Amino acid sequence: MVTKYIIVVGGVISGVGKGVATASIARMMQERGFEVSVIKIDPYINCDAGTLRPTEHGEVWVTDDGGEIDQDLGNYERFLGKSFSKNNNITTGQIYRSLIEKERKGDFLGETVQFIPHVPNEIKRRIKKVSDGNDIVLIEIGGTVGDYENVPFLFAMKSLENEIGSDNICYLLVTYLPIPSHIEEMKSKPTQIAVKLLRENGIQPDFILCRGKKRLDEIRKKKLELYANIKSENIISMPDVMGIGTSNTLYIIPLDLEKEGLGDKILNRLKLEERKKPDWRDWENAVQKILVPEKVIRVAMVGKYLDIGDYQLTDSYISVNEALKHAAAKNNCKVEIEWIDSKEFENDLMGVEKLKWFNGLIVPGGFGSSGVEGKIKAIQFARENNIPYLGLCFGLQLAVVEFARNKCGLLDAHTTEINCSTLNPVIDILPEQKNINEKGGTMRLGAYMAMVKDGTRVYDLYGGNEVLESGEQAHKPLEVYERHRHRYEVNPDYHKCLVDNGMILSGLSSDGRLVEFIELPNHKFFIATQAHPEFKSSLLKPAPLFDGFVRACLE
Ligand code: GLN
C-alpha cells in the first residue's frame, strides 16, 4: 500500500493542543489496524530541542536512539504506546545543516544550491525515510500558518502532494475560536483568516478542528462553511475537555473525536478501508479511572525552575506528570502533584517537615547547583521517615550524595557537577564526557541496557519474578532498557562503600561500571534510577517504577 499522509497545521494561535490532536488522530488510525508513524516538524534553526530552555519549551523528550526532541513526540509515543526515532523530528536547522554539508562535500558539484528545489527536496527525503513500512504518516507542522518560518514546509507538502496525488494526502487545520469576555460570543473571524493564509500556500484544508472554550454551534459551523468553502461535516468541534469534578484528562480526546466521526471521515477522504473495528474498551477503562478515581494520593515533586514570573511552568516535568497519571489510572487512584521549589528547604530549616503530609516524594532530573542542598534535605527526610521516594537521574545522583554524607560518613561527599574540588566525588563525570566541549547532542543519550539483579525490588517491578511457562522462576539477571540523558554517574570507586553501608545497587551496566538502579532495604519504597523511565510510559502500559511508587504511596 502507498503511504497516506495527514498534514496537521495550526492557525490563529499556538499552544491550543495541536500536538494532542495529532496524537489522538494517530491513535484513531492505529485503532483501525494501520501501521502509523508521526513526524513533528519544528521550524526553528536549532538542530534539536536539546539546547532549548525548558522553562520556555517544556521538558526535552528523549527517544531510544538518543534524539532530544520537543514534547510533542512524547505525546505521540504516550498515545500510541510505540517508540519513535529521532528521524521523526525535522527542524530547519537539520535541513540546512545537511544541505550545507552535502554542498561542501561536492554532492551538488556544478549546481547552484537554492531554496527551490533543494530545501523542499531535503524535507521530502526525510519524510520518505520515516514513511518506509508505514501505512499512514501524520506530519505536524509546528507554529501557526502565517509564520515566516513554516513556509518552506508548507511548500514541501504541496510538492509531496504533486508527487503522490491528492487522494494520498489530506490537510487538517487546528484553529482557535476565541470568546471575548465583553461580548460572550464565539468569533470565527480568526479562523477564516487562517484558512485564507493557508490558501496563500496553495493548501485548502480538508478538515478544520475548532478548539475553543465551548463547542461550536451550528450557526458558526455554517458561517465557516460559507467563508472557508469547506463542508460543515468536516468542521469538527474540539472544546476544552470538561472532566468530572476536579478530574480531567487529555486522554479523552480520541474518544471525543471518534464521536465526531473524524476517524471515518479521514479514511473516506484518503480512500482507505479500515482494517479492523476500533476497540476502545481498555482506553475507555483507563480514562474512566482517571475521571472517577477511587482514592487520592499526594506526591511532592521537588525540583527547580518551576517559577517564571507569575506562572508556574509545570511543563518542565511533563513526562513525569504523565507517567504518574498512567500509573495512577492503573491503580485506580488520582495523584495530586505539588511542585515544590527545592530552594524553599534551603532558606527554611524546618520547611522540609512539610513532606510528612505527602504520600511520596519524587526528585526528577535536573542540572546545575540551584536548589541542590534543598533536594538533598528532602531526600534525607524521605529516607529517614519511611516516605516512598522515587529518584530520576539527578534524583539518583543526589540520593547517593545524601547517603554518602549521612550513612557512609563522607561529610563533604558531592557530585563534581556542583563541587569539583570535593574530596569525596561520589558522583563524577563519565570518562567519555571529559573532553567534550560542544553542548548539542553530546550527553549520554538514549536507551542503554541495565542488568538488574535477582532478588531486588527493581527486579520484581520489572517482572523478573514472573513465573515462566515451565512453572519456574527465571532467577537470572534481567535486561532492562531505559532512556538516558546525563553526563555524570556514580563514581565506581565508591560502589563498595555504598554497598557496605547498606545501599543495594540493583542494576548495573553490563560491564558493571555504571550504576543504573539503586534501592534501600527496610524502606517502604526507596528506589532511584540513572535513567528516565518516564519516557517509556504510556496510558495502557505505565512505567514499572512509577507503578511501584504509586502502589507504595497508596499503602
Ligand atoms: N545533571 C546530571 C547529569 O548530567 C543529571 C541529568 C539529569 O537529571 N537528566 O548527569
Side-chain angles (χ1 to χ4, degrees):
M1 167 183 151
V2 293
T3 306
K4 305 269 184 176
Y5 293 92
I6 303 170
I7 316 300
V8 183
V9 290
V12 185
I13 48 170
S14 62
V16 295
K18 181 155 48 87
V20 173
T22 307
S24 301
I25 296 168
R27 178 78 204 190
M28 290 158 82
M29 297 296 120
Q30 193 188 45
E31 278 298 327
R32 285 166 169 76
F34 296 106
E35 207 48 61
V36 180
S37 191
V38 195
I39 297 174
K40 172 72 194 291
I41 289 180
D42 285 306
Y44 44 63
I45 298 177
N46 303 62
C47 288
D48 59 40
T51 52
L52 297 175
R53 192 175 298 119
T55 43
E56 237 171 80
H57 293 267
E59 170 209 48
V60 170
W61 180 259
V62 180
T63 54
D64 276 338
D65 59 356
E68 293 177 289
I69 300 172
D70 177 278
Q71 264 300 326
D72 282 317
L73 221 83
N75 275 324
Y76 310 155
E77 290 198 21
R78 283 189 283 267
F79 274 68
L80 296 177
K82 136 176 200 184
S83 295
F84 289 123
S85 145
K86 59 178 156 201
N87 298 332
N88 288 59
N89 179 234
I90 301 175
T91 73
T92 299
Q94 291 170 19
I95 301 292
Y96 278 92
R97 179 153 88 170
S98 54
L99 281 179
I100 291 168
E101 277 169 5
K102 283 182 194 165
E103 187 274 333
R104 290 290 83 188
K105 266 205 325 220
D107 288 5
F108 303 113
L109 228 47
E111 276 179 72
T112 312
V113 184
Q114 287 179 296
F115 174 66
I116 296 175
H118 295 95
V119 169
N121 282 353
E122 178 62 21
I123 297 171
K124 284 187 294 177
R125 188 186 69 77
R126 284 168 181 255
I127 289 174
K128 285 176 194 160
K129 195 159 118 193
V130 174
S131 308
D132 259 358
N134 285 293
D135 305 313
I136 300 179
V137 174
L138 288 95
I139 303 176
E140 180 190 346
I141 302 183
T144 28
V145 274
D147 291 350
Y148 292 115
E149 52 185 15
N150 58 31
V151 171
F153 297 101
L154 296 173
F155 190 93
M157 296 308 118
K158 244 352 240 187
S159 159
L160 181 67
E161 180 188 324
N162 252 344
E163 266 178 45
I164 61 174
S166 55
D167 281 351
N168 296 322
I169 187 164
C170 71
Y171 300 92
L172 187 138
L173 175 68
V174 182
T175 67
Y176 189 73
L177 285 92
I179 307 176
S181 56
H182 60 291
I183 43 173
E184 280 299 330
E185 185 201 338
M186 186 177 245
K187 303 303 280 180
S188 68
K189 178 74 82 193
T191 298
Q192 296 171 33
I193 292 171
V195 173
K196 186 167 169 259
L197 283 170
L198 195 53
R199 275 211 209 102
E200 283 171 12
N201 291 279
I203 294 171
Q204 163 73 14
D206 298 286
F207 302 93
I208 305 183
L209 218 61
C210 296
R211 290 278 300 111
K213 252 205 164 79
K214 290 190 194 152
R215 182 162 281 286
L216 199 65
D217 59 9
E218 280 311 308
I219 295 181
R220 260 140 285 261
K221 261 194 188 174
K222 286 284 170 205
K223 196 164 177 183
L224 270 181
E225 172 172 70
L226 203 65
Y227 281 87
N229 270 331
I230 168 167
K231 286 204 187 88
S232 63
E233 71 216 43
N234 289 348
I235 300 172
I236 310 286
S237 230
M238 190 177 151
D240 291 351
V241 285
M242 295 301 291
I244 299 177
T246 55
S247 302
N248 213 339
T249 176
L250 295 175
Y251 295 105
I252 203 166
I253 290 172
L255 304 175
D256 285 349
L257 293 178
E258 199 66 273
K259 281 188 203 134
E260 298 274 339
L262 181 61
D264 294 338
K265 288 175 189 174
I266 291 178
L267 287 201
N268 252 336
R269 167 63 185 79
L270 292 173
K271 302 209 161 55
L272 277 174
E273 297 272 334
E274 66 188 12
R275 297 220 176 117
K276 72 170 190 63
K277 285 257 159 285
D279 177 0
W280 292 102
R281 277 172 300 179
D282 289 346
W283 193 275
E284 275 166 352
N285 198 6
V287 166
Q288 185 63 18
K289 284 194 178 144
I290 297 179
L291 292 179
V292 201
E294 251 169 29
K295 290 186 185 145
V296 179
I297 54 171
R298 293 183 69 224
V299 169
M301 184 117 90
V302 176
K304 78 158 185 177
Y305 55 64
L306 291 165
D307 292 304
I308 43 165
D310 288 342
Y311 300 92
Q312 267 221 332
L313 203 100
T314 52
D315 257 15
S316 313
Y317 300 119
I318 186 164
S319 327
V320 181
N321 303 348
E322 291 303 308
L324 278 171
K325 279 184 206 159
H326 303 153
K330 180 172 174 206
N331 291 292
N332 214 345
C333 67
K334 176 180 176 160
V335 180
E336 281 180 1
I337 306 170
E338 188 163 318
W339 292 277
I340 302 175
D341 193 341
S342 55
K343 282 202 274 306
E344 200 179 293
F345 301 144
E346 291 177 351
N347 306 333
D348 171 8
L349 282 180
M350 296 307 285
V352 78
E353 295 274 330
K354 86 179 206 192
L355 292 174
K356 265 209 299 261
W357 307 110
F358 290 89
N359 301 96
L361 165 72
I362 292 182
V363 173
F367 295 84
S369 60
S370 165
V372 159
E373 290 304 321
K375 290 181 192 177
I376 294 173
K377 269 171 83 178
I379 296 169
Q380 180 180 7
F381 192 83
R383 180 177 60 75
E384 289 175 349
N385 292 281
N386 207 16
I387 298 169
Y389 173 68
L390 177 61
L392 306 167
C393 200
F394 209 28
L396 172 137
Q397 298 174 357
L398 297 181
V400 168
V401 170
E402 188 280 314
F403 192 84
R405 287 183 189 174
N406 301 317
K407 291 292 282 183
C408 307
L410 310 172
L411 295 184
D412 76 330
H414 219 321
T415 158
T416 53
E417 180 179 357
I418 315 297
N419 176 3
C420 55
S421 53
T422 171
L423 293 177
N424 287 293
V426 288
I427 306 293
D428 199 7
I429 190 129
L430 288 153
E432 63 268 30
Q433 288 284 331
K434 278 195 177 127
N435 298 317
I436 289 177
N437 296 318
E438 272 191 24
K439 291 273 187 270
T442 56
M443 280 189 241
R444 179 172 182 249
L445 289 167
Y448 285 93
M449 196 250 278
M451 303 293 282
V452 176
K453 282 181 207 149
D454 178 19
T456 63
R457 262 179 108 162
V458 176
Y459 188 83
D460 190 25
L461 288 170
Y462 276 94
N465 287 333
E466 270 162 25
V467 181
L468 301 173
E469 262 175 37
S470 61
E472 288 165 63
Q473 274 178 354
H475 288 306
K476 53 179 188 207
L478 190 67
E479 294 183 5
V480 168
Y481 285 85
E482 292 289 4
R483 299 180 189 172
H484 294 68
R485 184 172 189 255
H486 63 115
R487 295 190 199 275
Y488 293 80
E489 61 161 332
V490 179
N491 186 339
D493 295 346
Y494 289 88
H495 288 188
K496 187 173 178 311
C497 172
L498 295 168
V499 172
D500 288 349
N501 285 284
M503 180 174 274
I504 298 171
L505 309 182
S506 359
L508 300 169
S509 56
S510 54
D511 62 3
R513 191 175 64 92
L514 301 177
V515 173
E516 294 285 3
F517 295 93
I518 61 163
E519 63 186 69
L520 293 182
N522 310 320
H523 193 284
K524 256 195 207 154
F525 185 103
F526 193 105
I527 294 181
T529 169
Q530 186 56 73
H532 291 275
E534 63 272 24
F535 291 136
K536 280 177 72 170
S537 184
S538 59
L539 179 61
L540 299 185
K541 214 166 162 250
L545 290 195
F546 283 84
D547 183 21
F549 173 71
V550 165
R551 270 186 278 137
C553 291
L554 275 168
E555 270 164 25

